[in-house]
Amino acid sequence: MEFDYVIVGAGSAGCVLAARLSENASVSVCLLEAGPPDTHPLIHVPFGILWMMHSRRLNWRYYTAPQTHLHGRRLFWPRGKTLGGSSSSNAMCYTRGHPADYDAWRDLGNPGWGYADVLPYFKRAENRERGGDAYHGAGGPLNVASLRSPNPLALAFVEAAASAGYRRNDDFSGAEQEGVGLYEVTQIQGQRCSAARAYLRPATGRSNLRVITRAQATGVLFAGRRASEVAFLEGGTSRKVRARREVILCGGAINSPQLLLLSGVGPGVELQHLGIPVLRDLPGVGRNLQDHLDIILVQECKKPVSYGLTPVTAVRGLAEIVHYVVAKRGMYTTNAAEAGGFVKSGAREPWPDLQLHFTTAPLSNHGLDVKFLLQQGYSLHVCDLRPKSRGEIRLESRDPLAHPAIEPNYLDEPEDLEKLVAGFKAARRVLAAPAFDPYRGREIAPGPAVQSDDEIRDFIRCKAETIYHPVGTCRMGNDPQAVVDAELRVRGVEALRVVDASVMPLLVGGNTNAPTIMIAEKAADLIRSARI
Ligand SMILES: Cc1cc2nc3c(=O)[nH]c(=O)nc-3n(C[C@H](O)[C@H](O)[C@H](O)COP(=O)(O)OP(=O)(O)OC[C@H]3O[C@@H](n4cnc5c(N)ncnc54)[C@H](O)[C@@H]3O)c2cc1C
């Protein structure tokens, strides 16, 4: 098999690239995806996120290494494993981060990645149902909708946060990010709009695009220093596909560095230790891992309006099936995190440094603490948007099917803990505001016993979890630790790029799906304009 471009991973970035590159009928594109096709109906029903996050077939279900600063806990890290990747299992919140995030990327030695440079790519990707303007696109593949049936609790959250002193904002990607409101969501007609739905589905009929599912890449093969082939396993059989022009890794922040390391591109000493021949000593591969660490306050709800799994919700759920099937409205359109926003931990912060996600169910540990879910309740998440701690992805073996070691090193920098303490207090203030009076029962987590700063710190160490935004492990830049340059080419080799969340040099202050799609939109232009 031979194609012009071979793309590894059909996630948020891979779907964009496959669709954009194959727009040119004279080039051929092969897209390899480890997971199966996205045919399961629960992928497309927004409420299905509760199941998608835990699916053994459609999720990688990673666990981190034991976390020193979180009482030795190993944290659950779900990542999507189907067409659409994590965009087929995420919470669908459409946000972009702050303009200053992209200016910081540019200032770190990445020309072309400042906010003014990337805004056109956010717009090109987007079809905002409310219409385009200076900040938003209309007519792009990714549908961005308002929630069709917001839960009354989400509306109460917005009132509560406003009365606690936070400004209202109905467009977090517009002129000003700061404020609280309902999230806009990547949905279309009440269904999930994953990158596969947005980009791949319209491109399916193209004769120059071949999508191979259940095909896990196991290594990039080189002719000299030039990436020439990708080895993969399909149904237990080893196969190879040749790339005439380029190999493009879109496996995400865990798998792209893993594949580079397996292919001999990474820290030389570590590779030698594992017996992997070193093709290119690139010390930054897998390093610079950043993620949003999150804590959740959970409140009992006195009225049966939440999506806690109680008999009342079950009865309502049955009735709502018809509503969803016929009108694509109602509780099954919930993205779980219906409301939230971007706030400052202190008046001196130049821009929001905390993000709130309000969920209309009593959640703990990604829904894995089932006893929490079996009651009426609601939850307020808070995360530190720009943590200082840095972690890494490491190989533990040469087996391409083994999970790599994930060491986020959460709270390694003490400042990160203090930021979460400030966030905890802000969240508690919001939950105590009058708008919640009709709903508020007892505080389930952490509970009234947790009051002092030390008690809050211990609660954070006991309960903090990821809010699913790992990035940075194939960082772009122009220094010796950088993995790719500003055109996303892997440094020191030829015909190999990385295009996904792993190239972000710094984590953005917001959710990471739209930023990853933006990266791939820009990469498509970089690749198309490259001299062959
Ligand atoms: C539960 C959850 C909730 C989230 N909520 C939100 C949200 O509300 N809003 C938001 O903006 N972001 C959210 N995110 C984050 C966002 O979805 C991700 O940052 C984004 O999808 C990352 O895109 P990616 O292309 O880098 O990787 P992915 O989308 O993860 O794609 C990687 C793809 O590569 C495939 N792959 C990996 N290795 C191989 C291999 N060796 N061979 C072949 N294929 C391979 C994978 O199966 C996957 O399909 C959430 C993520 C999760 C997991």
Side-chain angles (χ1 to χ4, degrees):
M1 277 195 297
E2 188 168 301
F3 296 84
D4 290 317
Y5 299 103
V6 176
I7 301 171
V8 177
S12 300
C15 289
V16 176
L17 268 186
R20 289 298 186 199
L21 294 178
S22 63
E23 280 171 358
N24 178 352
S26 69
V27 303
S28 58
V29 178
C30 176
L31 178 62
L32 300 175
E33 167 54 44
D38 59 342
T39 46
H40 198 293
L42 284 183
I43 297 173
H44 306 286
V45 179
F47 198 86
I49 181 180
L50 279 180
W51 170 82
M52 277 301 294
M53 274 181 30
H54 306 290
S55 162
R56 293 194 182 276
R57 207 167 59 90
L58 303 175
N59 207 296
W60 291 85
R61 296 174 52 89
Y62 291 110
Y63 277 86
T64 69
Q67 291 302 286
T68 308
H69 307 290
L70 298 176
H71 292 323
R73 288 184 296 128
R74 292 160 62 96
L75 274 53
F76 178 57
W77 269 32
R79 309 306 297 166
K81 188 179 183 182
T82 179
L83 295 180
S86 297
S87 74
S88 287
S89 68
N90 71 12
M92 294 158 270
C93 298
Y94 180 88
T95 76
R96 299 174 179 174
H98 193 275
D101 291 318
Y102 300 98
D103 290 345
W105 290 10
R106 178 199 58 208
D107 296 345
L108 282 170
N110 298 295
W113 292 92
Y115 180 64
D117 304 303
V118 302
L119 180 58
Y121 291 103
F122 278 116
K123 291 174 72 175
R124 183 166 93 180
E126 185 182 16
N127 181 46
R128 191 183 197 217
E129 288 188 353
R130 292 187 209 165
D133 60 22
Y135 299 97
H136 290 283
L142 185 67
N143 206 67
V144 177
S146 302
L147 280 165
R148 294 186 138 205
S149 307
N151 187 292
L153 287 166
L155 303 175
F157 162 81
V158 180
E159 292 303 318
S163 70
Y166 299 116
R167 54 170 292 220
R168 292 168 198 265
N169 188 348
D170 68 355
D171 180 7
F172 300 125
S173 311
E176 184 58 67
Q177 186 199 35
E178 186 173 355
V180 292
L182 297 180
Y183 282 117
E184 286 179 86
V185 287
T186 44
Q187 292 185 4
I188 180 161
Q189 289 155 2
Q191 294 186 302
R192 174 189 291 280
C193 186
S194 67
R197 170 87 192 252
Y199 284 87
L200 214 50
R201 202 183 276 189
T204 311
R206 293 179 191 161
S207 60
N208 61 334
L209 173 62
R210 173 95 184 270
V211 181
I212 310 181
T213 50
R214 299 188 175 92
Q216 183 161 346
T218 53
V220 180
L221 308 176
F222 291 83
R225 290 206 165 267
R226 188 182 170 83
S228 57
E229 287 178 298
V230 175
F232 64 100
L233 277 174
E234 193 186 8
T237 307
S238 296
R239 302 181 63 191
K240 282 181 197 169
V241 54
R242 176 173 290 278
R244 276 188 293 263
R245 293 192 188 183
E246 291 196 22
V247 172
I248 307 160
L249 303 186
C250 301
I254 303 166
N255 303 72
S256 284
Q258 180 187 18
L259 204 57
L260 282 178
L261 294 167
L262 287 166
S263 311
V265 179
V269 177
E270 285 176 33
L271 295 180
Q272 278 164 354
H273 202 68
L274 287 164
I276 298 173
V278 181
L279 184 100
R280 166 75 190 178
D281 185 3
L282 211 47
V285 175
R287 305 279 156 77
N288 191 47
L289 174 60
Q290 299 162 56
D291 187 28
H292 287 144
L293 186 66
D294 181 76
I295 47 165
I296 316 180
L297 286 82
V298 188
Q299 200 82 44
E300 184 186 21
C301 185
K302 287 190 299 191
K303 293 191 177 177
V305 293
S306 84
Y307 299 136
L309 301 181
T310 62
V312 179
T313 312
V315 171
R316 184 177 162 197
L318 284 174
E320 289 259 5
I321 290 175
V322 178
H323 191 197
Y324 184 74
V325 171
V326 173
K328 295 285 185 300
R329 292 184 184 275
M331 69 181 272
Y332 291 110
T333 63
T334 186
N335 66 324
E338 293 188 5
F342 298 90
V343 303
K344 294 178 180 173
S345 64
R348 275 185 301 185
E349 294 296 332
W351 36 75
D353 54 341
L354 298 171
Q355 185 174 2
L356 302 172
H357 289 89
F358 178 78
T359 48
T360 48
L363 282 179
S364 173
N365 193 13
H366 318 276
L368 289 168
D369 289 347
V370 178
K371 70 175 191 309
F372 272 79
L373 263 179
L374 299 177
Q375 58 194 321
Q376 286 289 331
Y378 49 91
S379 323
L380 185 52
H381 299 237
V382 57
C383 69
D384 166 15
L385 285 173
R386 292 179 196 80
K388 300 271 186 302
S389 306
R390 298 288 181 267
E392 65 179 11
I393 303 290
R394 273 190 322 269
L395 285 190
E396 290 201 310
S397 87
R398 295 171 57 174
D399 176 2
L401 301 185
H403 286 182
I406 299 174
E407 176 46 272
N409 219 6
Y410 289 120
L411 303 185
D412 188 46
E413 294 289 337
E415 218 180 293
D416 295 350
L417 180 59
E418 296 316 308
K419 194 75 92 177
L420 281 179
V421 171
F424 175 98
K425 291 178 182 174
R428 213 179 222 177
R429 269 197 307 278
V430 171
L431 289 173
F436 277 121
D437 287 353
Y439 303 105
R440 190 186 310 103
R442 71 197 162 93
E443 186 181 273
I444 302 170
V450 172
Q451 293 298 336
S452 71
D453 283 7
D454 274 346
E455 286 161 351
I456 294 170
R457 288 187 192 103
D458 191 56
F459 170 68
I460 292 168
R461 292 188 196 281
C462 289
K463 290 290 178 192
E465 295 287 337
T466 177
I467 196 146
Y468 323 116
H469 299 152
V471 306
T473 48
C474 296
R475 170 171 78 81
M476 71 169 134
N478 61 7
D479 57 287
Q481 286 285 327
V483 176
V484 297
D485 66 12
E487 299 203 3
L488 309 184
R489 296 173 295 211
V490 177
R491 298 169 71 239
V493 298
E494 291 164 35
L496 181 61
R497 289 188 214 238
V498 182
V499 179
D500 57 30
S502 71
V503 304
M504 297 185 193
L506 290 170
L507 185 49
V508 295
N511 310 79
T512 45
N513 184 45
T516 306
I517 287 173
M518 174 279 289
I519 288 170
E521 283 277 10
K522 184 169 163 66
D525 276 3
L526 292 170
I527 293 167
R528 287 189 286 214
S529 65
R531 275 191 294 129
I532 310 300

